[in-house]
Amino acid sequence: MGSSFQKVKAFVFPLVMAVSVCSASLAFAGDYSFKVHNRTSVAIKQVLVKESGGKWGAFDIGSGIGPGKKATLVWAAHTNSQDCDQWIKVVYADGSESQSTKFDFCEDDLVLEFD
């Protein structure tokens, strides 16, 4: 019985540690979020961001952010090492784009409004 318990203990302990590390990572990634407020009459279909000199990357916003609606967007964990200063622009349902603007995404309670 002692040998069997040791095998289970040897398997469960690393598993518990892995889950703990993953949970901590998810909580950490959740710390980097911001809100987008669509103050226009047209739905936002894409939210694009990039570092200076980088390529545009898109947030997954599902079917979009409707007119007058707000959405909270969370940075992916792989972006944690990027600069706080990022460029952002949105693409509307009619195909038009907002002007790209530089923001500090490390700012607490950041709300970006698109008019």
Side-chain angles (χ1 to χ4, degrees), residues 33-34 49 75 84 86-88 103-107 110 112:
S33 65
F34 63 98
V49 295
W75 289 95
C84 289
Q86 300 270 340
W87 290 88
I88 188 168
F103 285 93
D104 177 356
F105 286 102
C106 294
E107 180 182 321
L110 178 64
L112 303 177

Side-chain angles (χ1 to χ4, degrees), residues 5-58:
F5 177 73
Q6 290 297 339
K7 287 180 184 175
V8 170
K9 184 177 171 185
F11 174 74
V12 172
F13 182 71
L15 181 62
V16 170
M17 291 305 294
V19 170
S20 297
V21 169
C22 288
S23 296
S25 295
L26 290 174
F28 183 72
D31 289 342
Y32 295 101
S33 65
F34 63 98
K35 291 184 180 168
V36 171
H37 185 191
N38 181 1
R39 295 172 41 140
T40 72
S41 60
V42 181
I44 293 173
K45 289 299 183 182
Q46 284 188 304
V47 175
L48 305 171
V49 295
K50 72 174 185 167
E51 289 182 287
S52 292
K55 294 183 181 185
W56 291 104

Side-chain angles (χ1 to χ4, degrees), residues 71-84:
T72 299
L73 304 181
V74 178
W75 289 95
H78 73 271
T79 65
N80 287 350
S81 63
Q82 291 185 356
D83 292 335
C84 289

